[in-house]
Amino acid sequence: MTKKASSSFKEKLFKKRLGFIGIFVSIVVSLLVGGGSVYYFMNKQVKELETANQSLGKISSVYSTLYYNYYKQISQKKLTDGAINGMISALDDPFSEYMSETESSNLNDTMSGSFGGIGTQVEKSSNAIKVIAPIAGTPASKAGIKANDLIVKINGHQTSDMTLNKAVQIMRGKIGTKVTITIKRNGQTFDKTLVRAKIPVKTVTETLDSKNKSIGVIAVTTFSQNTAREMKQSIVSLRKQGAKSFVIDMRNNPGGLMDQALKMSSMFVKDGKVILQVASRSGKPTIYRAGKQFDNGFKVHEKTVVLINGGSASAAEIFSSALRQSAGVKLIGTKSYGKGTVQNTLPFKDKTELKLTIAKWLTPNGTWIHHKGLQPDIKADYPSIAYVLVPNVNKELKLDDSGSSVESLQKMLNFLGYDAGKENGYFSEKTQKAVEAYQKENKLTVNGKADTKTLTTLETQISQKINQNDPVLEKAEDELK
């Protein structure tokens, strides 16, 4: 029975291939009178089609053989997904991938600038997650969550031992599902059960520089559907507040939608100047030039600088290179990531998607920065402590322990002014005394062990100190004086 089914499957596929090839052969015969060039072109297509059909036939044969003859029953989905992933892996391209329904949903949420959640802007405090502000119109806002509320539990789990990222991850989720948060306000504690909803994400934030109120600082976190519109709104707002020049912060921006990068770049570049070139595997590069089709006539003439680092990639590099090469804007920071390819997605009915690299993009002067990145005009960076791998907060470090986590602990303590001794990865008595001094000064349990609360508090204080002293921003301020 199995053999007959397999044989029938092969016969049908073979007939279909023969019929398809026959159609092309008849076309070739009917066009022979038109000249040798047409015959050569069509003959080439037939040969390519024959080769392609032979390959597809082999794939179909293997699929059928595995499905009907493997000693254990195997699902069609598993075979199909395996075949697709196998073909994609043959590309050896980390940016081409077959995405599951969940992965597709997450990507689409990122590109649309929204996600499922409760709608709170939060930060990590010493022993809880602190609400900076609820986002207007979201479940958190409607439930009466207020600024400075402390979220002490999420779904019954204490947040004192949670990292900020972990807490945010738990509060986000599928639209329509519930999450319970325990709030502490003015000494009172109470629960709120919220239904997750679609939360819009603001990808552009603006502020006046703390040292020079004539400088507007604009941070862009990603390029989603509304980023260009948000950029325009930020510039208009800062102009009203007295900004005469701008710092555009593209650090740690992983990129996103190319059309948003084109729209934003065009705002800073004179009409007619090149902002991007896109080259597919066939044909000349498509050249994109600044103009009303992208910026609707909105232009930025104020002096501007752009901040970049190793986390600035893709669309962030498109924007940065366009401003550098076509508007003379200086780049400040460290070398960018170097992603010079363009992807597109093919959705399927089962909500999975194929993300495929379809072209490479070039800077205005035709440079391909893939794996090379953009070099800054002015080099500046955070102190080295910013790149230290934070120890696992759930693993206690104590006397005589050793390893990279202990070395990170020593670097963190020394950075904050506590003498932990040599940064050699050995938890010595001197390191223990530094931990005790830190715990005493920060009103923690003094036990000389780097426990969860100690490590979490250390991480928070270092982040705050780094953000308060940004050497890259300081270079930008000097440049704009």
Side-chain angles (χ1 to χ4, degrees), residues 93 95-96 258 276-286 288 314 318 339-345 355-362 368 370:
D93 176 11
F95 305 113
S96 293
M258 190 180 81
L276 177 67
Q277 299 185 47
V278 175
S280 62
R281 72 179 187 182
S282 60
K284 295 181 179 179
T286 301
Y288 297 87
S314 191
I318 290 175
K339 180 182 177 293
T341 55
V342 180
Q343 284 71 42
N344 207 342
T345 57
K355 180 158 72 79
L356 181 67
T357 299
I358 59 170
K360 61 183 181 181
W361 67 265
L362 312 174
W368 194 33
H370 201 54

Side-chain angles (χ1 to χ4, degrees), residues 169-239:
Q169 183 181 355
I170 296 173
M171 287 189 285
R172 289 186 181 185
K174 189 175 181 180
I175 294 171
T177 58
K178 294 180 180 180
V179 59
T180 299
I181 58 176
T182 303
I183 300 293
K184 187 174 182 180
R185 181 191 300 165
N186 297 328
Q188 294 185 332
T189 302
F190 55 92
D191 289 343
K192 287 281 186 180
T193 298
L194 309 176
V195 178
R196 296 183 179 96
K198 184 176 181 178
I199 309 299
V201 179
K202 187 172 173 61
T203 60
V204 182
T205 55
E206 76 281 349
T207 184
L208 289 177
D209 185 75
S210 59
K211 297 178 182 178
N212 188 338
K213 299 300 182 183
S214 68
I215 298 175
V217 181
I218 302 173
V220 186
T221 58
T222 189
F223 286 76
S224 66
Q225 289 178 359
N226 299 316
T227 302
R229 177 173 58 82
E230 291 176 10
M231 170 65 84
K232 179 180 177 180
Q233 291 172 344
S234 293
I235 291 169
V236 170
S237 174
L238 288 170
R239 281 172 173 169

Side-chain angles (χ1 to χ4, degrees), residues 97 99 102-113 345 353 355:
E97 59 180 320
M99 298 182 292
T102 301
E103 291 168 334
S104 298
S105 178
N106 290 339
L107 177 64
N108 292 329
D109 285 347
T110 301
M111 294 300 100
S112 65
T345 57
E353 288 187 5
K355 180 158 72 79

Side-chain angles (χ1 to χ4, degrees), residues 248-261:
I248 313 297
D249 193 347
M250 286 286 165
R251 290 176 295 178
N252 299 316
N253 183 320
L257 298 176
M258 190 180 81
D259 71 314
Q260 297 298 303

Side-chain angles (χ1 to χ4, degrees), residues 51 78 86 93 117 127 161 236 257 275 329 334 336 358 429 450 470:
T51 302
K78 193 170 185 178
D93 176 11
N127 58 358
D161 298 339
V236 170
L257 298 176
I275 51 180
V329 169
T334 59
S336 67
I358 59 170
E429 290 184 3
D470 187 343

Side-chain angles (χ1 to χ4, degrees), residues 124-140:
K124 179 69 178 176
S125 69
S126 58
N127 58 358
I129 301 298
K130 184 179 181 180
V131 177
I132 300 172
I135 300 172
T138 64

